[in-house]
């Protein structure tokens, strides 16, 4: 089936065109279309994690179906928001992703935080954790934290990626990077992000032990 792909701003520059028609398999989802575009336009690939996708002028997730004749738009972050990367994902995390999102020649200080699943809590052996999120709101709240950091420490860039799904001890649940001209602001921005993340972002975790399970924050 045929769909129309629209490119804007940085996506347009990477693809080298503003729109094109694309033949995709019947029953294709957004993730399938993105894979085809990455193969067709390799320069677009590094930008894909930072884009939002709209189908028929409505923002959708990667598993959304793409109907015959649909108009699919690749939309980079809009001007005016806090620079950085703010995402909730269901895949293993890579610290380099958030580092790349904030690194710049003007940033003399870059601080990172990696939050991994512990193998025990209060003496109980942890078998696994299950993370759940209200993803659209969670990503909006992460972006708000980025705005707070940029306002409190001007020039400081922030990126946060949080994982959902089932994680075992040792796997990363969250990665954060803060970059600024000086190390003090980068440290403070990263610390602020960690504390705020635990307060208002709708992400929940359930711990599974050998002798039971509990939603963190609701259990004993």
């Amino acid at each position: 089936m045929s769909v129309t792909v629209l490119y804007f701003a940085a996506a347009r520059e990477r693809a080298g065109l503003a729109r094109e028609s694309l033949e995709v398999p019947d029953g294709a989802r957004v993730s399938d279309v993105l894979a085809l575009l990455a193969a067709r336009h390799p320069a677009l690939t590094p930008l894909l994690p930072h884009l939002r996708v709209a189908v028929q002028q409505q923002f959708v997730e990667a598993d959304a179906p793409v109907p015959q004749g649909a108009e699919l738009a690749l939309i980079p972050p809009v001007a005016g928001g806090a620079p950085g990367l703010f995402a909730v994902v269901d895949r293993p995390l890579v610290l380099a992703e958030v580092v790349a999102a904030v690194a710049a020649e003007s940033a003399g200080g870059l601080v990172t935080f990696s939050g991994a699943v512990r193998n025990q809590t209060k003496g109980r052996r942890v078998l696994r954790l299950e993370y759940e999120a209200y993803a659209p709101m969670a990503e909006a709240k992460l972006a708000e934290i980025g705005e707070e950091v940029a306002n409190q420490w001007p020039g400081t860039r922030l990126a946060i990626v949080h994982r959902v799904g089932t994680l075992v001890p040792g796997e990363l649940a969250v990665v954060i990077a803060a970059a600024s001209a000086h190390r003090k602001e980068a440290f403070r921005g990263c610390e602020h992000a960690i504390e705020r993340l635990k307060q208002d972002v709708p992400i929940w975790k359930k711990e599974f032990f050998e002798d039971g399970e509990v939603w963190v924050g609701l259990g004993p």
Side-chain angles (χ1 to χ4, degrees), residues 135-154:
M137 182 177 176
E139 291 184 342
K141 289 295 183 183
L142 294 177
E144 286 181 14
I145 295 172
E147 294 278 6
E148 292 171 5
V149 168
N151 289 334
Q152 289 189 235
W153 299 282

Side-chain angles (χ1 to χ4, degrees), residues 40-109:
R40 178 174 287 200
H41 307 293
L44 192 64
T45 302
L47 193 62
L48 291 178
H50 308 286
L51 301 178
R52 298 184 73 184
V53 178
V55 174
Q56 303 298 80
Q57 301 183 14
Q58 297 293 323
F59 285 119
V60 298
E61 300 296 333
D63 61 352
V66 179
Q68 160 67 25
E71 182 181 271
L72 186 145
L74 302 190
I75 302 176
V78 299
L85 169 64
F86 307 98
V88 175
V89 302
D90 60 355
R91 55 169 172 74
L93 302 183
V94 179
L95 184 62
E97 181 179 11
V98 289
V99 170
V102 300
E105 291 184 358
S106 60

Side-chain angles (χ1 to χ4, degrees), residues 7-187:
Y7 301 93
F8 298 94
R12 183 186 65 251
E13 293 177 352
R14 296 293 184 94
L17 70 172
R19 64 185 296 146
E20 66 177 322
S21 294
L22 186 70
E23 293 297 320
V24 302
D26 289 340
R29 298 187 177 275
V30 168
S31 56
D32 300 320
V33 177
L34 294 179
L36 290 172
L37 293 177
R40 178 174 287 200
H41 307 293
L44 192 64
T45 302
L47 193 62
L48 291 178
H50 308 286
L51 301 178
R52 298 184 73 184
V53 178
V55 174
Q56 303 298 80
Q57 301 183 14
Q58 297 293 323
F59 285 119
V60 298
E61 300 296 333
D63 61 352
V66 179
Q68 160 67 25
E71 182 181 271
L72 186 145
L74 302 190
I75 302 176
V78 299
L85 169 64
F86 307 98
V88 175
V89 302
D90 60 355
R91 55 169 172 74
L93 302 183
V94 179
L95 184 62
E97 181 179 11
V98 289
V99 170
V102 300
E105 291 184 358
S106 60
L110 195 154
V111 174
T112 66
F113 171 80
S114 299
V117 176
R118 296 189 301 268
N119 64 0
Q120 63 83 32
T121 296
K122 298 180 180 179
R124 304 171 74 187
R125 189 164 76 89
V126 174
L127 302 180
R128 68 183 188 277
L129 265 60
E130 290 186 0
Y131 281 89
E132 178 180 327
Y134 179 18
M137 182 177 176
E139 291 184 342
K141 289 295 183 183
L142 294 177
E144 286 181 14
I145 295 172
E147 294 278 6
E148 292 171 5
V149 168
N151 289 334
Q152 289 189 235
W153 299 282
T156 302
R157 296 165 56 90
L158 186 71
I160 308 172
V161 179
H162 203 296
R163 186 177 174 185
V164 293
T166 301
L167 284 73
V168 298
E171 290 190 297
L172 294 177
V174 61
V175 288
I176 303 173
S180 193
H182 304 288
R183 65 180 183 275
K184 181 171 68 175
E185 288 80 3
F187 272 108

